[in-house]
Amino acid sequence: MVERTSKFLLIVAVSVCFMLILYQYVGPGLSLGSPSGRSYSEELDLFPTPDPHYVKKYYFPVRELERELAFDMKGEDVIVFLHIQKTGGTTFGRHLVQNVRLEVPCDCRPGQKKCTCYRPNRRETWLFSRFSTGWSCGLHADWTELTNCVPGVLDRRESAAAK
């Protein structure tokens, strides 16, 4: 009898825990009311009015956003991947060296974070990222640092490869 009671209590306790977890995840999406007294749709509107102090600093015309550039991997073109923290940059950078179908795929060795990505016709890199060259310009280099650093690093790498 004691075994039956303890099993029953265990089932009830697990059910209550499941219902609480379910309520936590599903409850906010339902219109069950909110503690603040406002409706849920009002709480979703994070920016109800534009900030009058906000000055639009950068304007990107549509023609710039929709322009197409030809990338010549066999020529001298290089993709410089600017890694921005907390934006999925690590996942995208890894995707560039591991999953993109190329004529000459990047060589990724097990146990190493760096891959070598050479052009189809010579031993020069076409990708400048933390997964192909490492942190050559410093940890989390921004656009300004990369602009000043990348040409020198690529020149050093090409001269070392030529030797």
Side-chain angles (χ1 to χ4, degrees), residues 87-139:
T87 61
T90 301
T91 304
F92 183 72
R94 195 177 304 120
H95 170 71
L96 275 176
V97 295
Q98 292 178 352
N99 303 328
V100 177
R101 291 185 191 158
L102 302 168
E103 200 173 311
V104 177
C106 294
D107 181 26
C108 299
R109 311 251 169 170
Q112 289 185 341
K113 291 185 179 181
K114 248 173 42 172
C115 301
T116 52
C117 301
Y118 291 129
R119 296 181 189 279
N121 50 0
R122 57 189 185 275
R123 293 182 63 84
E124 292 177 2
T125 186
W126 59 269
L127 175 66
F128 190 93
S129 76
R130 74 177 258 210
F131 285 105
S132 62
T133 59
W135 297 108
S136 304
C137 293
L139 188 65

Side-chain angles (χ1 to χ4, degrees), residues 56-115:
K56 195 170 188 179
K57 196 172 184 179
Y58 302 105
Y59 172 73
F60 298 105
V62 174
R63 64 180 162 72
E64 282 294 315
L65 295 173
E66 293 180 348
R67 73 180 172 163
E68 291 184 21
L69 298 172
F71 177 72
D72 184 17
M73 185 179 288
K74 294 181 180 179
E76 299 295 319
D77 295 346
V78 175
I79 292 177
V80 179
F81 177 65
L82 173 62
H83 179 267
I84 301 173
Q85 304 89 297
K86 306 296 179 196
T87 61
T90 301
T91 304
F92 183 72
R94 195 177 304 120
H95 170 71
L96 275 176
V97 295
Q98 292 178 352
N99 303 328
V100 177
R101 291 185 191 158
L102 302 168
E103 200 173 311
V104 177
C106 294
D107 181 26
C108 299
R109 311 251 169 170
Q112 289 185 341
K113 291 185 179 181
K114 248 173 42 172
C115 301

Side-chain angles (χ1 to χ4, degrees), residues 15 28-29 35 37 43 51 53 57-58 64 68 81 83 141 149 151 155 158:
S15 299
E43 289 179 7
D51 184 5
H53 304 288
K57 196 172 184 179
Y58 302 105
E64 282 294 315
E68 291 184 21
F81 177 65
H83 179 267
C149 169
D155 288 342
E158 288 174 10

